[in-house]
Amino acid sequence: MWKKSLLIILLFVTLIAGCSKQENETSNKSEDNIEQNSKVETDDNHNSGESNESEESKKVQKVAKEDQVTLDEIEPIPTDVEGLANQLPGIFAGVNSLFDLEQEIKEQMDVLGPMSEEPTDEEYEKYLRYIYYLVAEDYPDPENVIKKWEFASFGDPDLPGSKFSFKENYNVEIILDSSGSMANPTGNGSRMNVAKKSINEFLSEVPEEANVSLRVYGHKGTGADSDKEMSCNAIEQVYGFNTYNEGKFQEALNQFKPMGWTPLADALKESQEALSQFDSEKNTNLIYVVSDGIETCDGDPVAVAKELSESSAQPIINIIGFQTDAEAQKQLEKMAEVSGGIFASASNEEELQEEFNRAEEVLDAWKDWKNDAMRDLDAKRVNSSFDIMGLHNDWSFTTMKISNRMNNMVDISRNLEIFTHSQRKELKRRIKPIIDEIDTTVDQLEKDLEELRDKNLQEAKEIVEEKYKSQTSEE
């Protein structure tokens, strides 16, 4: 995994922060004319009221320079599925235009300095690796597609683990980050207002029989050190567990604002205590965590998430990272991983709503199960085909963005006299086979997922046929 490379690079580089994802990129200097959404890092502890920085130059944090960087200190560029899926965004990921960041790029390229007059293959490789990790983008995790197929098979008694089988009752809890950074503006309002709107729309669609709950944390005090204890103890279930009532739920949403710190681990602990009354034998329990930042109250949310998923309630914990930086994303991804849930990253209002729309699919599946336990396997094949196509498109587009930005970085570095004209030409020639290899991996990933999908569907059809035969023979 390329994460190891960052640890190595820290011998000569101090990585302060990473930029967020964006939606669009072009391969030349006109890329800054395309509308894109990009994020700005926030300090979850101390910048509760700060607005997002508007200048592109402030999206990129400085990296300290040290001499004598060797090829061995920079991890090879990943070209396999595991390496690509595990790489995190580089510090120039998600910016609108690299051509607006010439000074910042100069500061980063000065870490290596100008290329020698007669560079060796090793020197070319060193510069290519370094440039790659500066512009690396986050590839969606293919495991999430497979997990989604598991969730869509709710009710199948042959699935491993009782948490994936539908029960008589259904309980949904939203755990919402109300720390100070959620006050930062995004789109048509603050992150908090956007989250509240999406949550309200999501819960309004749950089945009438389902119990819903809303738990918030960090909604008291400020981001100041003097308020840390009060803010870290600010965890409150403001609604439920009750059936959804629009008026009462709206009243609950209106009673808190984003204020202070992020006690994510303790919020999960309180959720575990509340869910203890809903054992998994008779209840299907689902938790959605919406957060934009990392734990700041000295807790261990990864350990608590694992413990919660293994409790008597056996909830499925799905996590939505809303405009998170790289550090927060790593922690939230790990929480989903250890609890068997899905991590999804949302960089704007549309993506956040899309994730909640996917959650509604699970609720709809539960309603269908209560009415008719049989599943339309052919429809599942069609739906899974769209899942695979969507992942393939996302990976292809991410690869294209990385390719464009690597070439842009070489062009800009030539202007900065890091490379000569001939070196620029040679670097671009060497970029192409790297991107071609990644594209081949992306195509193979699509084929592998299709084979897995077909295998699982065939096994499911055989199970249904066997059950049908046994039932008719008994009659």
Side-chain angles (χ1 to χ4, degrees):
M1 295 184 294
W2 82 277
K3 299 175 186 176
K4 174 184 175 184
S5 66
L6 291 182
L7 299 177
I8 298 174
I9 296 177
L10 282 175
L11 295 172
F12 65 95
V13 177
T14 301
L15 182 60
I16 305 300
C19 292
S20 65
K21 292 181 179 178
Q22 67 174 23
E23 291 180 346
N24 299 291
E25 176 78 1
T26 63
S27 60
N28 51 49
K29 294 185 179 181
S30 65
E31 64 180 353
D32 56 338
N33 295 325
I34 297 179
E35 289 186 1
Q36 297 172 316
N37 295 301
S38 55
K39 299 181 290 184
V40 179
E41 260 98 30
T42 59
D43 185 333
D44 210 25
N45 289 359
H46 304 289
N47 296 335
S48 60
E50 290 185 1
S51 62
N52 286 346
E53 308 263 11
S54 59
E55 300 90 347
E56 282 293 339
S57 63
K58 293 183 180 179
K59 292 181 181 177
V60 180
Q61 305 298 324
K62 294 182 179 179
V63 173
K65 174 185 175 182
E66 291 189 14
D67 297 327
Q68 305 303 321
V69 181
T70 67
L71 178 64
D72 292 339
E73 290 172 321
I74 309 177
E75 192 78 4
I77 297 172
T79 56
D80 61 344
V81 171
E82 181 180 7
L84 293 169
N86 281 285
Q87 76 179 24
L88 291 172
I91 63 174
F92 286 109
V95 298
N96 282 337
S97 172
L98 288 175
F99 293 97
D100 294 334
L101 300 172
E102 187 170 294
Q103 181 58 39
E104 289 79 1
I105 291 173
K106 183 180 185 304
E107 292 174 3
Q108 309 310 322
M109 295 305 298
D110 280 347
V111 171
L112 299 185
M115 184 174 276
S116 62
E117 292 184 5
E118 297 183 0
T120 63
D121 287 340
E122 285 191 357
E123 189 172 2
Y124 274 117
E125 179 65 19
K126 178 175 70 174
Y127 278 83
L128 285 173
R129 291 183 187 183
Y130 186 71
I131 288 173
Y132 181 89
Y133 287 117
L134 288 178
V135 302
E137 292 280 346
D138 182 29
Y139 282 86
D141 191 347
E143 283 292 323
N144 286 340
V145 171
I146 298 172
K147 289 177 182 177
K148 180 181 177 182
W149 295 344
E150 286 183 333
F151 298 159
S153 300
F154 273 14
D156 186 341
D158 295 283
L159 278 173
S162 60
K163 70 166 66 177
F164 293 109
S165 298
F166 280 135
K167 313 301 188 315
E168 292 88 344
N169 307 300
Y170 202 98
N171 305 296
V172 183
E173 173 156 284
I174 307 292
I175 301 179
L176 176 61
D177 183 351
S178 189
S179 60
S181 57
M182 288 292 285
N184 286 316
T186 179
N188 297 323
S190 68
R191 292 177 182 173
M192 176 57 75
N193 289 338
V194 168
K196 285 182 176 180
K197 177 183 176 183
S198 297
I199 290 170
N200 204 10
E201 292 179 3
F202 165 56
L203 292 181
S204 68
E205 298 297 325
V206 302
E208 293 181 1
E209 306 94 327
N211 291 317
V212 301
S213 168
L214 176 63
R215 190 177 306 276
V216 298
Y217 59 84
H219 57 297
K220 295 181 181 179
T222 67
D225 290 340
S226 58
D227 283 345
K228 180 176 180 179
E229 182 177 359
M230 175 177 61
S231 184
C232 288
N233 288 321
I235 303 169
E236 184 178 357
Q237 185 183 29
V238 295
Y239 188 92
F241 286 94
N242 293 311
T243 55
Y244 177 80
N245 179 287
E246 182 178 1
K248 292 182 179 179
F249 190 79
Q250 193 62 49
E251 183 179 344
L253 279 176
N254 293 336
Q255 64 181 280
F256 61 90
K257 298 179 180 179
M259 299 298 293
W261 294 61
T262 309
L264 179 53
D266 284 346
L268 290 174
K269 287 181 181 178
E270 293 201 8
S271 179
Q272 179 174 341
E273 183 178 349
L275 284 171
S276 63
Q277 61 182 308
F278 304 119
D279 66 87
S280 61
E281 291 186 5
K282 295 184 178 180
N283 295 272
T284 294
N285 299 311
L286 195 61
I287 292 175
Y288 285 91
V289 176
V290 182
S291 178
D292 73 339
I294 198 169
E295 164 77 35
T296 61
C297 291
D298 308 317
D300 186 348
V302 176
V304 177
K306 187 175 189 301
E307 180 182 347
L308 174 54
S309 70
E310 296 172 351
S311 66
S312 61
Q314 290 189 313
I316 297 167
I317 305 173
N318 292 332
I319 298 172
I320 301 175
F322 188 26
Q323 296 190 335
T324 55
D325 61 22
E327 185 181 13
Q329 179 173 320
K330 282 196 293 184
Q331 185 179 77
L332 296 174
E333 283 181 338
K334 191 65 177 178
M335 290 169 59
E337 178 185 340
V338 300
S339 62
I342 290 177
F343 170 81
S345 179
S347 62
N348 53 54
E349 181 175 354
E350 290 74 20
E351 290 182 4
L352 182 63
Q353 188 59 57
E354 181 181 346
E355 293 308 321
F356 277 115
N357 289 341
R358 290 178 181 174
E360 288 177 10
E361 294 177 7
V362 176
L363 295 172
D364 290 340
W366 181 66
K367 288 188 292 186
D368 292 341
W369 172 81
K370 295 201 76 175
N371 296 325
D372 185 359
M374 292 299 294
R375 292 292 185 268
D376 186 344
L377 295 177
D378 290 332
K380 282 187 178 180
R381 189 181 194 285
V382 172
N383 291 336
S384 61
S385 295
F386 283 117
D387 293 336
I388 296 171
M389 183 189 305
L391 183 72
H392 181 269
N393 290 342
D394 288 343
W395 274 53
S396 295
F397 185 62
T398 299
T399 304
M400 182 183 69
K401 286 193 293 185
I402 292 174
S403 175
N404 290 340
R405 288 183 179 169
M406 289 187 74
N407 281 281
N408 290 341
M409 285 285 289
V410 171
D411 288 335
I412 295 168
S413 297
R414 167 68 184 98
N415 295 338
L416 296 170
E417 299 183 348
I418 301 294
F419 309 127
T420 65
H421 175 75
S422 61
Q423 290 168 352
R424 166 186 171 275
K425 185 176 181 180
E426 176 62 18
L427 282 165
K428 288 197 166 191
R429 186 189 70 80
R430 292 174 181 245
I431 288 173
K432 187 178 185 306
I434 295 172
I435 299 303
D436 288 345
E437 187 173 357
I438 294 176
D439 282 333
T440 299
T441 297
V442 173
D443 292 339
Q444 186 60 48
L445 173 61
E446 180 180 38
K447 294 178 182 178
D448 290 345
L449 286 173
E450 288 174 343
E451 289 179 3
L452 178 62
R453 182 269 318 276
D454 292 341
K455 178 177 181 292
N456 290 342
L457 285 174
Q458 182 58 39
E459 290 176 352
K461 287 181 179 179
E462 291 174 358
I463 290 173
V464 170
E465 289 174 358
E466 286 299 319
K467 287 181 178 178
Y468 177 78
K469 291 178 180 178
S470 64
Q471 289 172 356
T472 54
S473 63
E474 291 173 0
E475 292 175 358

